[in-house]
């Protein structure tokens, strides 16, 4: 029940105390990540730990300058990694066939499952975490900085530290927005209105609409936060990175 409580009280932390994380605690957290579900028990992921202050400051640049990257005591970069598995196969006279998009997705799922285990374990220890979606936007730069070989692609990042803030829990969509019984039940116009009603009526939402001089929250997402132009740009960049790292053989 303690883990359930941790999950239900999750909040992203972006401000951290100037307090190191004991290596014993960090190792236990990482070990919890290793116990995550994994495709075929292959564990085709790696976790790169960054604690050096100068390196965190450099890494921060690739995460759009988000201060928490340099202020958190630990930054964890989770990578889809077939490099290690491929080398093992070849050293055992078993030529691997994992240079394709399916294998990239497999390794990415493994990495994300491990990341979520790490996040929950960290919060159980009283630490705060925040996921960084900027990882895939700047994957090519992060690969270069972390010296990732072919077959290794960063897919997400977690910052870890002792919280120096207690933000309010953010809203979540209602149960009926997420759960479908037996089959996918598509949403009517009325259902969409009902599902997003609470989110759209929040004081924060009204403030954001006013600040952005737009009509509604959907426009903030589509026209300001995650625009088509940016999505296409970063999609092309990430697909090229995946190709460069050896995951787009479709022959």
């Amino acid at each position: 029940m303690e883990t359930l409580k941790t999950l239900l009280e999750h909040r992203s932390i972006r401000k951290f105390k100037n307090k190191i994380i004991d290596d014993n605690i960090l190792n236990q957290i990482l070990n919890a990540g290793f116990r995550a579900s994994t495709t075929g028990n292959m564990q085709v992921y790696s976790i790169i730990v960054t604690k050096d202050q100068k390196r965190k400051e450099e890494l921060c640049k690739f995460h759009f300058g988000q201060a928490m990257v340099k202020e958190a005591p630990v930054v964890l970069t989770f990578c889809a990694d077939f490099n290690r598995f491929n080398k093992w196969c070849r050293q055992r006279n078993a030529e691997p066939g994992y240079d394709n998009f399916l294998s990239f997705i497999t390794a990415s799922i493994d990495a994300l499952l491990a990341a979520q285990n790490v996040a929950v374990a960290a919060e159980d220890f009283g630490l705060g975490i925040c996921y960084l979606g900027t990882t895939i936007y700047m994957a090519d730069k992060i690969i270069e900085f972390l010296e990732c070989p072919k077959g290794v692609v960063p897919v997400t990042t977690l910052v870890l530290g002792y919280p120096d803030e207690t933000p309010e829990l953010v809203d979540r969509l209602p149960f009926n927005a997420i759960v479908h019984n037996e089959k996918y039940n598509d949403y009517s116009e009325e259902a969409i209105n009902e599902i997003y009603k609470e989110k759209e009526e929040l004081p924060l939402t009204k403030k954001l609409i006013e600040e952005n001089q737009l009509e509604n929250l959907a426009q903030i997402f589509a026209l300001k936060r995650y625009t088509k132009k940016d999505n296409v740009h970063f999609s092309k960049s990430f697909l090229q990175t995946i190709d460069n790292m050896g995951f787009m053989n479709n022959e």
Side-chain angles (χ1 to χ4, degrees), residues 186-228:
D186 206 356
Y187 305 97
S188 64
E189 184 176 338
E190 293 77 14
I192 291 294
N193 289 337
E194 185 62 30
I195 286 168
Y196 286 94
K197 181 179 179 181
E198 183 176 349
K199 182 184 287 287
E200 290 178 326
E201 292 180 351
L202 291 171
L204 176 60
T205 298
K206 294 178 181 179
K207 180 182 177 183
L208 288 171
I209 292 170
E210 183 178 350
E211 289 175 350
N212 286 276
Q213 298 182 332
L214 292 170
E215 297 175 8
N216 53 57
L217 183 61
Q219 289 183 354
I220 292 173
F221 277 96
L223 305 180
K224 289 283 188 176
R225 289 185 179 176
Y226 305 104
T227 67
K228 179 178 180 178

Side-chain angles (χ1 to χ4, degrees), residues 58-67 69 75 77 132-136 138 142 156-157:
E58 285 297 310
L59 197 55
C60 180
K61 298 175 185 177
F62 307 130
H63 289 288
F64 299 173
Q66 296 179 86
V69 178
V75 180
T77 306
L132 301 178
T134 42
T135 308
I136 57 174
M138 301 295 287
I142 295 172
T156 196
T157 300

